[in-house]
Each structure stands twice: as C-alpha cells, then as structure tokens.
Amino acid sequence: AHPVPRAALLLTLETAAIMAVINAVMGTLVAYVLVRYRFPGRKVLNLLIDLPFSIPTLVAGLMIVVLFGPDAPLGRAFGRAGVQILYAPPAIVIALLFVTLPIVVRAVEPVLAEVDVAEEEAARTLGASDLLTFRKVVLPAISPAIVTGTLLGFARALGEFGSVVVVAGNLPK
C-alpha cells in the first residue's frame, strides 16, 4: 500500500481520537456550567457554543491561521517555545475541537437539565464532595449522552475537510 494515504488515514484517526477525548471532558463541563449556573455572560456563552454551526468550516480554519500564524502573538509565543501549531497535528485538533464541541454540549445539555438537582443536594447533605456527587449521581445519568455526543463529534471530525485543509497545509509528508 502507498505510504501517503496510510499516513493521512492514521493522522485523521489520531487527531479525531484526541479531539474526542478532549470534547467528552470539555463538552460535559461546558454543558454542566450552562445548565447548573446562572452568571453574567451566560447567554453570550450559549451563543458562542453555536457559532461553529453558523460559519463555514473554511472560515474556522482561516481564524486558526490568523490566531496561530507566525506573525500573530500566539504564533510567535509558541514558536519561541519551540512548539509548532500551524501545519501540524495540534492545529488539526484545534480545528476539529472548534467544529465539534457544540455537538457534545448540545447532546449533554438536555439530559443534564433532566437530572434532578435534589439528588445532588441529597448526596451533598449526606457528606459527599462535589466531585463524588458528580461521579456517583450526575455522571451515570448523563454518560449515554456524553458517549452519543462524543461519537457524533468523532464521526463529524472524520469527515471534516474545510478547516483541516487550511490548518494542515494539505502537504503530504
């Protein structure tokens, strides 16, 4: 078999898997914050979550190039640290995260909203820490939604082209 297609397939699977793990954690945390807390800027955060659904993925890729390019402050900072973001796997993961995070958040949010807060309060009253309460009460109830959102995000990442071709440079190694 040819090495270039194999490398492309492995890179796709590797970056999508990394993105899926990060999305499972971050998407769940964002959904939890949006459902359980009221704070200034909550509506803005809620709008920002849906932003990737409303802009072309090519624009997302260009945004990442602008943020992490060699002339951008972030790009220069990472360059001085010896870390290459653009035209490397980290940029691909960032692009995939931007495009797919809303899928996980929106999958977990409605299920989390249905978990009775009284169950969490009861666990805390019985002496459970916040982390233990989340692990034993909330997580079992929302884990099917986390898995669903994560798998949907993974599938979406496998087919993502617009943002990835911009940040990866479309150069076979």
Side-chain angles (χ1 to χ4, degrees), residues 1-161:
H2 297 283
V4 171
R6 181 180 310 190
L9 180 61
L10 288 175
L11 179 64
T12 299
L13 292 172
E14 178 183 301
T15 54
I18 292 167
M19 175 275 322
V21 171
I22 296 169
N23 260 352
V25 174
M26 294 306 297
T28 302
L29 289 174
V30 170
Y32 189 85
V33 167
L34 286 173
V35 170
R36 291 290 191 252
Y37 297 102
R38 302 290 175 250
F39 54 91
R42 183 176 170 272
K43 288 183 180 181
V44 173
L45 177 60
N46 216 0
L47 286 171
L48 288 174
I49 294 300
D50 290 329
L51 183 66
F53 289 144
S54 61
I55 64 171
T57 58
L58 185 65
V59 173
L62 290 173
M63 174 196 66
I64 292 166
V65 168
V66 168
L67 287 173
F68 293 100
D71 296 331
L74 277 175
R76 283 194 302 271
F78 279 109
R80 282 193 299 271
V83 177
Q84 183 179 357
I85 300 290
L86 270 185
Y87 312 121
I92 297 170
V93 172
I94 292 168
L96 294 177
L97 285 169
F98 178 80
V99 170
T100 61
L101 181 71
I103 297 170
V104 179
V105 173
R106 297 306 182 215
V108 173
E109 222 174 4
V111 177
L112 185 58
E114 294 297 317
V115 175
D116 192 0
V117 179
E119 293 177 27
E120 293 177 61
E121 291 170 357
R124 286 189 193 97
T125 302
L126 293 171
S129 67
D130 288 343
L131 185 60
L132 185 62
T133 299
F134 183 81
R135 236 183 64 229
K136 295 290 186 175
V137 176
V138 178
L139 194 58
I142 65 172
S143 58
I146 296 170
V147 170
T148 299
T150 302
L151 288 176
L152 286 171
F154 181 78
R156 172 73 177 86
L158 292 178
E160 176 55 33
F161 181 76

